[in-house]
Amino acid sequence: MEERILEEQGEGFRMTNGLQAAERVINLVRENGDLAQHGDGCPSEVIARAEAEMALTFPPSYRRLIEEFGTWGVPPVEFPGVYQTPARGEQLLGSSAYTLEDRAHLSLPHHFLVVMHDDVLGVLVLDTSRPDQDGEYPVFAWNPGVLEGGVMERIADSFGEFALNECRQNLS
């Protein structure tokens, strides 16, 4: 599925992929600075370290957003991304920390990358075992409280699509 999201364009609609959706998220966050918050971005060496610690690779749309913001939010939704704080020093926070913690405490399968903990949807993960032709992974709501590895509900075809939908909902 190369094309995913309907984007308004003049009188009609066109489809967009995960990376294009991520660029739209960046624009929305920057255009709505009174409502949205974001960090200063995440250097490539920190992203590489997060990937190495998880033994997983970020898809293009998620990587782009992490590079741009590190972490960001469009209340009430917070996107943890990857970031560091002075109080925690070199410790990586956000998705990589959630992924490692959930592996240890919730038996998260190793091919899942945690992108968010949500009060309604539970643990939102990217299934890295299912890349599409663009290198994007589908987004699932994973419920760890179920035997046989948890129950999953597909939320979006890419992180970019998921983030764009969340941002639009909360900025409208």
Side-chain angles (χ1 to χ4, degrees), residues 1-7 9 13-21 132-134 136 154 156-158 161:
M1 292 178 111
E2 181 176 322
E3 300 176 330
R4 300 207 181 6
I5 301 173
L6 288 174
E7 276 288 319
Q9 182 181 23
F13 290 91
R14 67 177 175 83
M15 299 299 282
T16 186
N17 66 25
L19 194 52
Q20 290 169 325
D132 67 11
Q133 70 275 4
D134 296 326
E136 295 288 343
R154 190 178 189 115
D157 291 332
S158 71
E161 175 186 350

Side-chain angles (χ1 to χ4, degrees), residues 5 42 49 56-57 85 93 118 135 143 147 159:
I5 301 173
C42 188
R49 188 174 134 216
L56 297 172
T57 303
T85 65
L93 303 171
D118 182 84
N143 180 343
L147 298 176
F159 183 80

